């Protein structure tokens, strides 16, 4: 075979030539061009058979991918329940007088950036405003009187004026010169002494979302372990075998805005929606609002009590409880948060979620723990008094407030709203169930400080995104509604549980967070529910020995006080004091009005399968005018778990409840 040599002279007499020479220089270039064209066509052909990539979502809040069955919009539910968002809520006083704003002018003024200052504890506040909260008993005349006395002491209306008031939540806002703000805050209580009130600064607050990165329900999330990871971690599946919530329990979510048309939020469980800014039930954002704030409220609400078993998206922890959406708007301050909180308290919420908090400058994270604790004990004491008052007001009405701890990895009680033990404060853990690196903390036994009640998952938490989509994100904002839902389940079993009792159960049944004692234990819902049930009387124990019925029992029936046939916001606790196997007395304690006992004798009849207690006379208090509590019958029988379940019947009222034995009464 003839060899063609393309190299140098091989020493055998053959001549080597450049490889292109047989075709000339032009021929070689043509071959190269054809080769490149063929390669281009081959690459193009391969791309035609390649599977297209899923486009990324620029608004995604973390790197975890959401599978298509959850991300894609779904067809709106044809059974969608319309939500009335048009009704106005009466906040203005008829004939307000010369020193309160007229109704057309009675709106919280917007905040300019140049009005924002940083105070001594690194908080952002509005320099030329102060807020006033009147006592819960204040009426229209109290507002007029306070306005008159304020004018009597500060008569120059170009410098001092009431710019806003709200008769529903008992709040006012005054405008003062920035340089006089602290002096006026100190001296006002000394100048107006005949009206009960508190004065405090207007602090900036915001969402606590961390930006950056058995049979089961049929919602698609439960088929995606990477998204449903936290339900197992908190025993949600087992808890739902006990209860998914009671429609008698109302959960208020006080947040930015809500998409009530979302398939995971829209239902007949929505009650009393309210917008602080609009004073109507329209809780959707306006055209000029920050889209992120629209997302935040919708996500938080769905994580606490989103619809379950609708074949869509995800589900909330308490999917059968009532939902009260309260919009705080996109510009949250002390007064707007307080308005939302007080509205929820007065409108009958059982649990209130607040995934909001103070805004701080970066310098605070550089302070030592000792300095941070010292600041929490020395600063913002006026605001702390207001938040304490509000929490006590809630506890009187058996309302539990849940706060997100915050995301700056600092001591949570720097924020005055998150101090003390009158509310629940929630820190966050990550997917390894360790403290999330961003989560605020609060527990230091060496300083006798405990400001983190409990922790919950706060990384890659899925929730309802507006316009029938879904998103995931990190933050104590999303840990708090998980705890709020769990508390709603606890109150579904026992509505009379106080915040202190709930906190104790969450701590006792929670799982310690490995490697970090500065945050509360990890929520374990099933164990918490079993602890609640474990306090209930058991039918067999009572029937086997009637003496076991002797003692003081608290009913899980929390009664609403009515006047002239109309319900009020006052709550009444019910006790049965059994003095012998044949007799005792019924006790009705008015927790929010007279704070007095109304009592009546009981007779006890034992039957084979039930116990019947008869209150033949009205329960009265000789020292309190205004009647008493009508005669009633209590019939107690075993439920499916052998717990002693009782039915209260009085006139046209029927309620079911359980009994738990107590050694002493807690009248909060």
């Amino acid at each position: 075979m003839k060899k063609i040599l393309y190299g140098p002279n091989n020493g055998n007499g053959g001549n080597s030539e450049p490889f292109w020479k047989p075709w000339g220089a032009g021929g070689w270039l043509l071959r190269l061009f054809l080769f490149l064209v063929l390669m281009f066509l081959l690459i193009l052909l391969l791309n035609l058979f390649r599977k297209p990539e899923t486009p990324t979502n620029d608004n995604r809040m973390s790197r975890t991918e959401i599978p298509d069955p959850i991300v894609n919009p779904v067809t709106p539910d044809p059974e969608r329940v319309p939500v009335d968002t048009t009704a106005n809520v009466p906040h203005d006083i008829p004939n307000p007088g010369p020193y309160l704003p007229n109704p057309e002018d009675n709106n919280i003024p917007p905040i300019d950036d140049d009005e924002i200052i940083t105070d001594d504890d690194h908080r952002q506040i509005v320099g030329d405003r102060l807020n006033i909260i009147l006592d819960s008993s204040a009426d229209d005349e109290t507002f007029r009187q306070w306005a008159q006395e304020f004018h009597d002491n500060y008569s120059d209306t170009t410098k001092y004026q009431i710019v806003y008031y709200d008769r529903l939540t008992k709040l006012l806002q005054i405008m003062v010169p920035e340089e006089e703000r602290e002096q006026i805050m100190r001296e006002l209580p000394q100048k107006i002494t005949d009206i009960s009130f508190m004065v405090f600064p207007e602090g900036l607050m915001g969402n606590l979302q961390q930006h950056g990165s058995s049979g089961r329900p049929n919602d698609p999330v439960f088929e995606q372990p990477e998204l449903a990871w936290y339900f197992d971690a908190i025993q949600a599946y087992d808890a739902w075998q006990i209860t998914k919530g009671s429609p008698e329990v109302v959960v208020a979510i006080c947040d930015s805005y809500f998409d009530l048309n979302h398939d995971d939020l829209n239902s007949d469980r929505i009650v009393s929606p309210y917008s602080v800014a609009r004073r109507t039930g329209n809780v959707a954002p306006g055209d000029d609002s920050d889209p992120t704030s629209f997302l935040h409220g919708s996500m938080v609400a769905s994580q606490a009590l989103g619809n379950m078993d609708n074949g869509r998206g995800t589900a909330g922890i308490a999917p059968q409880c009532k939902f009260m959406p309260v919009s705080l708007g996109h510009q949250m301050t002390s007064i707007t948060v307080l308005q939302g909180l007080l509205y929820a308290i007065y409108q009958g919420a059982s649990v209130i979620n607040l995934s909001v908090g103070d805004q701080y400058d970066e310098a605070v994270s550089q302070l030592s723990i000792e300095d941070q604790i010292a600041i929490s004990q020395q600063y913002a004491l006026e605001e702390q008094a207001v938040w304490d008052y509000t929490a006590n007001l809630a506890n009187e009405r058996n309302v539990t407030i849940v706060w997100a701890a915050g995301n700056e990895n600092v001591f949570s009680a720097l924020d005055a709203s998150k101090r003390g033990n009158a509310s629940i404060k929630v820190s966050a853990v990550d997917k390894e169930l360790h403290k999330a690196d961003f989560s605020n903390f609060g527990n230091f036994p060496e300083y006798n400080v405990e400001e983190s009640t409990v922790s919950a998952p706060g990384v890659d938490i899925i929730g309802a995104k507006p316009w029938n989509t879904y998103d995931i994100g990190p933050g104590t904002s999303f840990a708090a509604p998980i705890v709020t839902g769990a508390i709603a389940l606890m109150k579904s079993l026992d509505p009379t549980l106080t915040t202190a009792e709930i906190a104790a159960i969450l701590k006792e049944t929670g799982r310690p967070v490995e490697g970090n004692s500065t945050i509360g234990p990890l929520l374990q819902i099933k164990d918490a529910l079993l602890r609640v049930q474990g306090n209930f009387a058991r039918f067999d124990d009572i029937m086997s020995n009637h003496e076991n019925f002797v003692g003081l029992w608290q009913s899980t029936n929390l009664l609403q006080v009515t006047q002239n046939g109309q319900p009020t916001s006052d709550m009444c606790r019910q006790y049965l004091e059994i003095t012998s196997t044949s007799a005792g007395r019924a006790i009705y304690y008015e927790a929010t009005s007279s704070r007095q006992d109304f009592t009546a004798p009981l007779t006890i009849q034992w039957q084979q399968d039930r116990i019947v207690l008869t209150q033949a006379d009205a329960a009265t208090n000789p020292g309190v005018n205004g009647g008493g509590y009508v005669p009633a019958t209590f019939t107690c029988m075993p439920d499916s778990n052998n717990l002693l379940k009782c039915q209260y019947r009085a006139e046209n009222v029927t309620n079911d409840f359980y009994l738990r034995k107590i050694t002493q009464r807690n009248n909060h």
Side-chain angles (χ1 to χ4, degrees):
M1 181 175 68
K2 185 177 179 180
K3 295 181 179 179
I4 300 176
L5 305 176
Y6 292 113
N9 191 313
N10 61 8
N12 293 323
N15 296 321
S16 77
E17 298 175 331
F19 77 95
W20 45 264
K21 192 168 182 178
W23 296 276
W28 174 78
L29 290 174
L30 179 62
R31 291 183 69 206
L32 179 62
F33 173 76
L34 291 173
F35 174 78
L36 293 175
V37 169
L38 288 171
M39 289 298 295
F40 173 78
L41 291 174
L42 179 62
I43 293 171
L44 182 62
L45 185 63
L46 289 172
N47 272 320
L48 289 176
F49 290 97
R50 187 177 177 188
K51 182 179 179 180
E53 293 182 359
T54 302
T56 58
N57 181 350
D58 291 338
N59 293 325
R60 187 141 310 152
M61 294 182 293
S62 88
R63 291 187 296 275
T64 300
E65 294 294 326
I66 304 180
D68 284 347
I70 293 179
V71 172
N72 290 346
V74 297
T75 303
D77 186 347
E79 302 299 323
R80 187 182 305 285
V81 178
V83 179
D84 180 13
T85 63
T86 60
N88 287 301
V89 181
H91 292 256
D92 299 310
I93 296 173
N95 304 314
Y99 306 119
L100 290 171
N102 292 319
E104 61 271 17
D105 301 320
N106 189 25
N107 297 289
I108 298 176
I111 299 170
D112 294 331
D113 289 344
D114 57 5
E115 297 169 350
I116 299 173
I117 63 174
T118 301
D119 66 4
D120 292 339
D121 62 337
H122 306 278
R123 262 182 334 158
Q124 291 184 315
I125 64 172
V126 184
D128 62 351
R129 300 189 200 180
L130 289 171
N131 297 320
I132 309 297
I133 183 169
L134 302 177
D135 186 83
S136 62
S137 62
D139 56 16
D140 292 356
E141 185 54 37
T142 310
F143 277 89
R144 296 190 190 97
Q145 182 183 347
W146 197 94
Q148 178 67 57
E149 295 193 34
F150 177 69
H151 176 73
D152 292 345
N153 285 282
Y154 303 92
S155 58
D156 186 349
T157 55
T158 64
K159 296 172 61 178
Y160 317 99
Q161 58 179 304
I162 298 173
V163 294
Y164 176 74
Y165 74 91
D166 181 356
R167 73 195 296 203
L168 180 66
T169 55
K170 321 297 184 185
L171 290 165
L172 304 98
Q173 187 170 92
I174 60 176
M175 198 80 74
V176 299
E178 180 179 324
E179 63 275 12
E180 298 181 39
R181 180 182 58 83
E182 291 192 8
Q183 176 186 344
I184 292 173
M185 188 165 62
R186 288 193 302 269
E187 67 184 17
L188 255 180
Q190 279 72 50
K191 290 180 177 291
I192 303 177
T193 58
D194 55 341
I195 301 175
S196 177
F197 72 96
M198 288 181 281
V199 57
F200 58 100
E202 174 73 324
L204 290 183
M205 306 184 81
N207 295 135
L208 297 179
Q209 168 184 324
Q210 175 69 12
H211 295 279
S213 47
S214 62
R216 298 194 177 184
N218 66 15
D219 309 86
V221 70
F222 300 109
E223 300 173 4
Q224 307 293 338
E226 68 276 19
L227 296 177
W229 71 272
Y230 62 93
F231 292 100
D232 261 326
I234 58 174
Q235 302 179 331
Y237 301 115
D238 292 332
W240 289 330
Q241 300 302 309
I242 300 172
T243 181
K244 294 178 182 176
S246 164
E248 301 301 317
V249 173
V250 178
V251 178
I253 307 294
C254 297
D255 214 287
S256 51
Y257 300 102
F258 306 90
D259 181 3
L260 297 187
N261 289 317
H262 195 292
D263 286 329
D264 265 350
L265 294 179
N266 183 276
S267 76
D268 59 2
R269 296 184 294 118
I270 297 173
V271 294
S272 305
Y274 176 62
S275 164
V276 167
R278 295 186 180 98
R279 308 185 199 179
T280 71
N282 185 359
V283 296
D287 295 336
D288 59 343
S289 300
D290 177 5
T292 303
S293 66
F294 190 15
L295 179 149
H296 191 275
S298 302
M299 287 189 69
V300 168
S302 69
Q303 290 155 357
L305 43 97
N307 295 331
M308 179 183 284
D309 276 326
N310 61 349
R312 293 167 166 84
T314 183
I317 300 299
Q320 293 180 3
C321 292
K322 288 288 200 313
F323 168 30
M324 181 189 293
V326 181
S327 169
L328 307 176
H330 66 278
Q331 192 177 56
M332 298 183 198
T333 62
S334 300
I335 195 167
T336 58
V337 173
L338 267 171
Q339 278 187 282
L341 176 55
L342 289 166
Y343 173 86
I345 292 172
Y346 289 134
Q347 295 301 309
S350 304
V351 192
I352 302 174
N353 186 93
L354 286 151
S355 291
V356 300
D358 278 345
Q359 305 293 293
Y360 293 90
D361 60 26
E362 294 183 0
V364 71
S365 62
Q366 306 302 316
L367 299 174
S368 68
I369 295 302
E370 292 80 5
D371 287 342
Q372 292 181 40
I373 293 175
I375 287 174
S376 74
Q377 296 171 344
Q378 297 171 16
Y379 290 91
L381 301 184
E382 301 87 357
E383 285 176 89
Q384 180 180 339
V386 171
W387 294 116
D388 286 348
Y389 164 80
T390 308
N392 289 331
L393 196 69
N395 288 332
E396 285 179 354
R397 288 160 171 78
N398 215 65
V399 183
T400 298
I401 300 173
V402 180
W403 290 95
N407 303 325
E408 289 128 332
N409 193 30
V410 298
F411 184 54
S412 60
L414 288 167
D415 186 337
S417 65
K418 300 171 179 60
R419 297 176 187 169
N421 56 13
S423 60
I424 306 294
K425 285 96 62 175
V426 183
S427 299
V429 299
D430 58 23
K431 285 189 168 183
E432 286 70 43
L433 305 184
H434 299 152
K435 175 187 171 298
D437 56 8
F438 55 78
S439 177
N440 287 359
F441 46 81
N443 298 343
F444 294 93
E446 63 271 31
Y447 299 112
N448 196 29
V449 167
E450 184 178 292
E451 299 289 1
S452 173
T453 313
V454 67
S455 60
V459 173
D460 286 349
I461 308 301
I462 188 169
K465 185 178 177 180
W467 304 292
N468 249 4
T469 56
Y470 298 84
D471 216 328
I472 52 177
T476 57
S477 268
F478 306 141
I482 292 173
V483 173
T484 293
I487 292 173
L489 297 184
M490 295 169 69
K491 286 199 166 188
S492 295
L493 297 180
D494 185 355
T496 68
L497 287 171
T498 66
T499 297
E501 289 170 334
I502 289 168
I505 291 172
L506 293 177
K507 292 175 186 177
E508 292 166 5
T509 60
R511 171 179 168 184
V513 177
E514 183 179 348
N516 197 301
S517 60
T518 66
I519 63 175
L522 176 62
L523 172 69
Q524 301 291 283
I525 309 178
K526 178 202 71 176
D527 291 344
L529 295 180
L530 291 177
R531 178 66 60 85
V532 173
Q533 286 186 328
N535 293 326
F536 295 167
R538 301 188 68 83
F539 183 76
D540 286 351
D541 292 342
I542 302 298
M543 296 301 287
S544 63
N545 184 351
H546 293 182
E547 290 292 339
N548 290 337
F549 200 38
V550 175
L552 181 61
W553 299 89
Q554 179 169 342
S555 161
T556 62
N557 191 18
L558 192 64
L559 300 176
Q560 187 175 33
V561 180
T562 60
Q563 293 285 354
N564 300 320
Q566 296 299 315
T568 71
S569 63
D570 292 335
M571 306 306 296
C572 176
R573 293 182 178 275
Q574 193 175 50
Y575 301 91
L576 300 179
E577 186 178 45
I578 309 302
T579 54
S580 71
T581 58
S582 60
R585 65 173 182 155
I587 304 172
Y588 301 83
Y589 173 72
E590 291 187 346
T592 53
S593 52
S594 71
R595 300 188 184 182
Q596 297 288 326
D597 285 345
F598 291 71
T599 64
L602 290 172
T603 58
I604 302 174
Q605 180 183 5
W606 298 86
Q607 299 180 10
Q608 184 175 357
D609 62 344
R610 67 192 63 196
I611 311 167
V612 179
L613 298 88
T614 303
Q615 175 198 324
D617 301 318
T620 59
N621 183 314
V624 178
N625 295 324
Y629 290 82
V630 297
T633 300
F634 306 84
T635 303
C636 303
M637 302 173 65
D639 72 357
S640 59
N641 294 315
N642 196 42
L643 300 176
L644 189 70
K645 188 172 185 178
C646 302
Q647 184 177 81
Y648 166 83
R649 297 179 65 89
E651 291 186 349
N652 296 323
V653 177
T654 301
N655 289 310
D656 293 334
F657 61 90
Y658 293 93
L659 289 173
R660 56 186 173 110
K661 201 163 195 178
I662 57 176
T663 55
Q664 60 182 8
R665 288 164 47 185
N666 183 344
N667 288 334
H668 281 291

